């Protein structure tokens, strides 16, 4: 999990690669944007031999180790495309265990979307700096959290409480990875910044009684911890049998009110993040990954010092 440093490193690395074609550099930039690791022209494969010598070889443009996939980019020139198709056929015949894809520029995005790395239609989302946690990283971690909760609560029927609205994606995915009977309920709160920091008002209360139940408060992100701290005190008054916290993101560096968080998805640096339910001024919740916002963009749009809910 990294901020500007990682983006800078990736940019530097990209600048040091002798790309043969600008479209290759574009493709590398898209891969970097989505946090997909890549190697450029990783290796040459022999396609044909004559008298024991290599008569024809093929070097795919990219290898994506995480997907175990070679990528060959196409140009618009029909003569070259035909030749590439021929080489790819030979490659697949000789190396049937290797996966390769021929990609036209318009195919990049749908390929990335297929592997969960991005939205379907946009490469650059306005204001987004970089992807901090990719969709597949989220998926894997949420699955682990669900499995852990299923083990810890074996024989019980936990009540999952989500704090709206940021938690919607996380809750929807997490509950499907809990292999126990669960009950789900939601509440909405708003914070009074003007009065006492961390004081919260319940805007929408729970439908479920808490008394005697095993409650897990599911949160998108714990930042200062002030909201959660006050909320937990209020929930504890309702006498649950147990009360635990599961947060997808933990911005520990900013913690003011300290409390144990029983289940944490990812610890993240002190950066404002959006996506996968998290918003900035109600936008970006539908991004399938978690991304940081550009600092200058963020400050330009922070007309008031109000904190998003
Ligand atoms: P806390 O009381 O400071 O812990 O604030 C927690 C709430 O602030 C979270 O439930 C979020 O709704 C919001 N929040 C804090 N940090 C971020 C962020 O980086 N992106 C989006 N929302 C955030
Ligand atoms: Mg929230």
């Amino acid at each position: 999990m990294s901020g500007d440093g990682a983006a800078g490193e990736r940019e530097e690395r990209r600048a040091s690669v002798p790309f043969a074609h600008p479209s290759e550099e574009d493709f590398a930039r898209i891969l970097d944007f989505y946090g997909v690791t890549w190697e450029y022209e990783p290796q040459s494969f022999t396609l044909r031999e004559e008298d024991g010598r290599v008569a024809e070889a093929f070097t795919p443009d990219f290898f994506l180790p995480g997907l175990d996939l070679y990528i060959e980019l196409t140009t618009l020139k029909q003569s070259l495309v035909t030749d590439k198709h021929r080489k790819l056929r030979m490659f697949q015949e000789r190396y049937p265990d290797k996966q390769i894809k021929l990609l036209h520029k318009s195919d990049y995005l749908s390929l990335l979307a297929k592997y969960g790395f991005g939205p379907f239609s946009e490469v650059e989302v306005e204001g987004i700096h970089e992807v901090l946690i990719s969709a597949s990283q989220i998926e894997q971690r949420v699955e682990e959290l669900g499995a852990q909760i299923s083990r810890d609560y074996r024989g019980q029927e936990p009540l999952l409480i989500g704090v709206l609205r940021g938690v919607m994606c996380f809750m929807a995915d997490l509950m499907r990875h809990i292999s126990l009977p669960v009950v789900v309920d939601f509440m909405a709160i708003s914070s009074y910044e003007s009065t006492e920091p961390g004081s919260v008002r319940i805007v929408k209360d729970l439908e479920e009684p808490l008394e005697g139940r095993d409650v897990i408060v599911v949160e998108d992100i714990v930042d200062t911890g002030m909201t959660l701290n006050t909320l937990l005190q209020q929930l504890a008054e309702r006498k649950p049998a147990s009360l635990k916290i599961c947060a997808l993101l933990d911005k520990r560096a900013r913690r003011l009110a300290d409390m144990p968080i029983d289940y944490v998805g990812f610890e993240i640096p002190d950066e404002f993040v959006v996506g996968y339910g998290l918003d900035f001024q109600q936008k970006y919740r539908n991004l399938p990954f978690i991304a940081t916002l550009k600092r200058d963009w963020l400050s330009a749009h922070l007309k008031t010092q109000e904190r998003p809910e």
Side-chain angles (χ1 to χ4, degrees):
M1 307 301 92
S2 41
D4 282 66
E9 265 168 42
R10 289 199 283 263
E11 212 173 298
E12 249 170 56
R13 176 174 171 232
R14 238 172 29 241
S16 74
V17 173
F19 292 108
H21 197 272
S23 69
E24 296 169 348
E25 189 164 1
D26 282 349
F27 185 60
R29 193 172 51 84
I30 295 169
L31 294 171
D32 281 345
F33 179 79
Y34 289 115
V36 183
T37 53
W38 53 269
E39 291 161 21
Y40 179 66
E41 298 194 336
Q43 124 185 50
S44 286
F45 294 91
T46 303
L47 294 183
R48 200 161 46 83
E49 278 151 348
E50 262 167 34
D51 310 324
R53 290 199 355 255
V54 177
E56 193 172 3
F58 171 60
T59 310
D61 295 323
F62 287 89
F63 178 60
L64 314 183
L67 305 176
D68 196 19
L69 178 67
Y70 291 89
I71 299 282
E72 178 67 11
L73 301 179
T74 65
T75 61
L76 289 169
K77 285 205 192 96
Q78 195 50 47
S79 56
L80 294 175
V81 175
T82 314
D83 191 50
K84 278 196 174 156
H85 279 290
R86 185 186 59 83
K87 285 194 166 183
L88 245 75
R89 266 197 311 277
M90 289 173 78
F91 176 86
Q92 277 164 331
E93 274 161 27
R94 262 192 101 128
Y95 307 96
D97 58 322
K98 304 245 182 278
Q99 287 194 81
I100 187 155
K101 283 220 157 92
L102 188 65
L103 267 197
H104 187 264
K105 190 160 185 174
S106 60
D107 297 331
Y108 300 173
L109 295 175
S110 55
L111 176 95
L112 291 165
K114 181 176 161 215
Y115 289 105
F117 290 112
F120 283 90
S121 56
E122 284 169 298
V123 185
E124 303 275 2
V125 181
E126 206 200 346
I128 295 292
H129 171 57
E130 69 167 335
V131 175
L132 189 61
I133 310 173
S134 72
S136 50
Q137 286 175 301
I138 298 172
E139 193 182 315
Q140 192 189 335
R141 188 70 190 116
V142 174
E143 187 174 340
E144 288 167 6
L145 289 174
Q148 201 184 334
I149 290 172
S150 307
R151 281 194 300 274
D152 294 353
Y153 285 81
R154 179 176 291 171
Q156 290 166 277
E157 193 177 306
L159 169 60
L160 306 179
I161 293 180
V163 184
L164 292 171
R165 290 177 236 177
V167 81
M168 56 188 176
C169 295
F170 181 40
M171 179 68 97
D173 288 341
L174 179 69
M175 62 191 258
R176 283 178 287 181
H177 287 295
I178 300 178
S179 54
L180 299 170
V182 295
V183 176
V184 180
D185 201 356
F186 292 95
M187 65 194 303
I189 56 178
S190 83
S191 38
Y192 307 103
E193 284 302 283
S194 47
T195 54
E196 212 183 306
S199 61
V200 296
R201 183 170 61 94
I202 295 176
V203 178
K204 181 215 168 289
D205 206 344
L206 299 165
E207 314 278 332
E208 297 289 325
L210 300 193
E211 195 171 340
R213 318 231 347 226
D214 295 300
V215 174
I216 306 174
V217 176
V218 182
E219 262 279 29
D220 48 0
I221 181 166
V222 183
D223 184 15
T224 65
M226 300 295 275
T227 316
L228 192 56
N229 190 49
T230 324
L231 186 67
L232 285 177
Q233 284 169 18
Q234 295 190 23
L235 296 180
E237 284 166 18
R238 303 184 193 184
K239 309 247 177 321
S242 65
L243 185 57
K244 287 197 175 179
I245 308 165
C246 175
L248 179 66
L249 305 175
D250 182 358
K251 239 193 251 181
R252 197 159 297 172
R254 302 228 326 154
R255 195 64 37 81
L256 297 175
D258 216 6
M259 74 206 83
I261 303 181
D262 306 275
Y263 304 96
V264 175
F266 302 91
E267 200 177 313
I268 60 163
D270 182 9
E271 295 270 356
F272 196 85
V273 292
V274 293
Y276 193 67
L278 289 142
D279 75 306
F280 174 63
Q281 296 178 344
Q282 296 309 329
K283 294 202 189 97
Y284 305 109
R285 293 195 199 272
N286 57 330
L287 294 177
F289 44 73
I290 289 166
T292 51
L293 285 179
K294 289 182 182 137
R295 291 238 167 101
D296 52 349
W297 195 92
L298 182 66
S299 43
H301 286 77
L302 267 181
K303 285 169 233 108
T304 61
Q305 277 306 98
E306 265 174 346
R307 189 180 52 173
E309 109 278 19

